[in-house]
Amino acid sequence: MRVGGAAPPDGRVDYGVRIHWGLSGEPTETNRFRVVGTPKTGRDLPNSLFMRRRKERFDFDGESGSRVYFCLKYENPSGWEGPFGPILSAIIS
């Protein structure tokens, strides 16, 4: 899934992005924390990853047919966090 968007609205937040994500379905040994129901914000997603790169690849081996949810927010080195973006979802093929 490719997510596009505009540049950050304020240079102070141009440091990194925290990607919140979660898989739907029953817990497994490799993914013990799952999303129950449809998440409303990034706070409802059990996993997160901070990154400064422009791309990130997620590999969900053995999860074909499961739904994955993503939500992003900007963060800067001072600990300031922007608001959560929209919830994005996809079916893993």
Side-chain angles (χ1 to χ4, degrees):
M1 173 169 50
R2 213 172 255 258
V3 179
D10 186 332
R12 291 175 292 180
V13 299
D14 191 16
Y15 179 73
V17 174
R18 180 161 300 274
I19 302 171
H20 293 261
W21 62 275
L23 289 166
S24 65
E26 294 296 317
T28 63
E29 285 191 32
T30 55
N31 290 293
R32 296 184 347 204
F33 302 104
R34 297 290 184 128
V35 176
V36 177
T38 303
K40 305 255 188 279
T41 73
R43 285 184 189 86
D44 298 335
L45 301 173
N47 307 294
S48 74
L49 167 71
F50 178 80
M51 62 176 277
R52 295 188 68 189
R53 296 178 299 279
R54 298 186 64 70
K55 295 180 185 181
E56 184 66 31
R57 182 183 181 105
F58 289 82
D59 189 5
F60 298 110
D61 278 342
E63 295 294 338
S64 182
S66 295
R67 180 172 294 276
V68 61
Y69 296 95
F70 293 98
C71 187
L72 286 67
K73 69 177 175 181
Y74 289 110
E75 290 186 11
N76 74 11
S78 302
W80 186 86
E81 299 177 353
F84 282 106
I87 297 284
L88 307 168
S89 71
I91 302 293
I92 300 168
S93 58

